Amino acid sequence: MKINHPLLGPRNASEFTILGDAKLLQRPNTPERDQARVFYEYLYHRDNPIGQHQELWFHEQGDRSWLIVSRDTLTHEINNVELASNVIKKGQTQ
Amino acid sequence: MAYSAIKVIKEALTGHRGWKPLWRRPEPKSEYDIIVIGGGGHGLATAYYLASEYKNKKIAVLEKGWLGGGNIGRNTTIFRSNYLLHENEKFYEMSLKLWEQFEQDLNYNAMISQRGVINLFHSDAQRDAYVRRGNSMLINGADAILLNEAKLREKCPFLNYDNARFPIQGGLWQPRGGTIRHDAVAWGYARAADRLGVDIIENCEVTGFDIQNAKCNAVRTSRGRIKAKKFGVAVAGSSSAVMANAGLRLPIESHVLQAFVSEGLKPIIPGVITFGAGHFYISQSDKGGLVFGGDIDGYNSYAQRGNMAVVEDVCEGGMALMPMIGKARLLRMWGGVMDMSMDGSPIIDRTPIKGIYFNGGWCYGGFKATPASGKCFAHLLATDENHPNANAYLLNRFEKGYMIDEKGMGAQPNLH
């Protein structure tokens, strides 16, 4: 697999480590009603689809940036790569 | 289909044209008592025990592809019961005892070979941890023998004992562990279940559950709607996708695990050997191929194939452990989809929806669990009570904080 890094161009996936489902960025606020339940869902019930999956990859042996990679779990094809910091900023301005 | 020496000789002389299929190809009925979803090792074992021990009538196994075409056909055929935690060890030791009886119970040759499993250790600390694990195994009725370096050298003279970074100091040996022919496990259970009246329905994919008032009454399949009182889901890597049809989310991620086999060689490796410093394990098949594997690729995948980086990593582990395998050529490699649970331990439990029961989260330890998984799941389906040897494999243990954290590493979907 090659990951098309937004700043560095195509890089071999072996330079990266994966954390998993990008929903891990949406950490629940505290305190919140039904907090134990909310955090249980956040920590353990991650998306595990057949097909398109948004996931967090860390360029550990590169520029150490976090990326959000849209990847097909059936074909391993990567459709979109964005810097996680940019996605978070966009989310805040919306 | 019965086997005998006379039958084998007769067929050999007549061109093997008289063998019959081992199980029927029935049309699905409109209603069953219990439907098992997934015609792999665990599903077929479940159906067999439901019919044989719990005397249930009207059982069906629904399989979306062909029988035994999932992970029961894509593993490295090893069974063992060398776990540390009581919750796991009692279960896997039950499984090992069932393996020892497998051929007699089913009257089916599965080429079982208790050739022993050796886990190597490479430091004083790792030896101490293995002593503890060995004691845990003994307490639970399993067998375990600590081999020092001299004894290990007698059994396995070919290992790289003087590796500068990870010298081999000895190993924890389970003599009763070994290998068994994986396809024969599926076929043996299928034949036995079919003889007891279980309908094994292939090419029948479950596409939805009919749920009313949090109770499931029927499944929608590619071959029509089928009613039942209870539904047991045992679909391994597809767990999240099938359970999503019932509106449930699981503490599971699906990952790809690769395995490899070399060209056939003369007998060289006496049993199963695992590297204690890297992720690598190896055995030799009866045909002579070196069968080995390593770690999962690490990303969510349903592809049944992996990437080259892990191939390289596994082969490096093999070279570090036994440099002689560098002379062997790789013949085949394949990948299977593992349902990785968040603590590395499986789930055999009810679900929040009445009538739906779940068996999954086997990570990449599912093959050796096949008989015990089937028996415990059948017990749950038949009696509505968790089997005493699987009573910690609860779906809500993550929410309640009762993880079975064999590796002591916390919530990660990439543990064994």
Side-chain angles (χ1 to χ4, degrees), chain A residues 72-87:
Chain A
D72 191 309
T73 59
L74 203 54
T75 63
H76 297 167
E77 191 183 352
I78 293 170
N79 302 307
N80 190 37
V81 183
E82 285 182 275
L83 286 168
S85 53
N86 284 358
V87 173

Side-chain angles (χ1 to χ4, degrees), chain B residues 305-363:
Chain B
R305 59 184 165 77
N307 272 296
M308 286 305 287
V310 170
V311 178
E312 203 177 337
D313 186 57
V314 170
C315 292
E316 280 172 358
M319 289 296 288
L321 184 65
M322 45 180 87
M324 67 173 184
I325 69 165
K327 299 271 185 191
R329 277 167 295 192
L330 204 58
L331 190 65
R332 286 186 292 125
M333 50 201 264
W334 62 94
V337 182
M338 310 291 125
D339 38 338
M340 305 298 292
S341 70
M342 294 282 172
D343 62 355
S345 297
I347 297 160
I348 303 177
D349 202 5
R350 296 162 201 78
T351 68
I353 297 168
K354 200 168 182 315
I356 300 182
Y357 301 74
F358 179 69
N359 175 336
W362 291 99
C363 303

Side-chain angles (χ1 to χ4, degrees), chain B residues 41-54:
Chain B
H42 291 220
L44 293 166
T46 303
Y48 166 71
Y49 284 112
L50 276 171
S52 64
E53 298 218 347
Y54 298 96

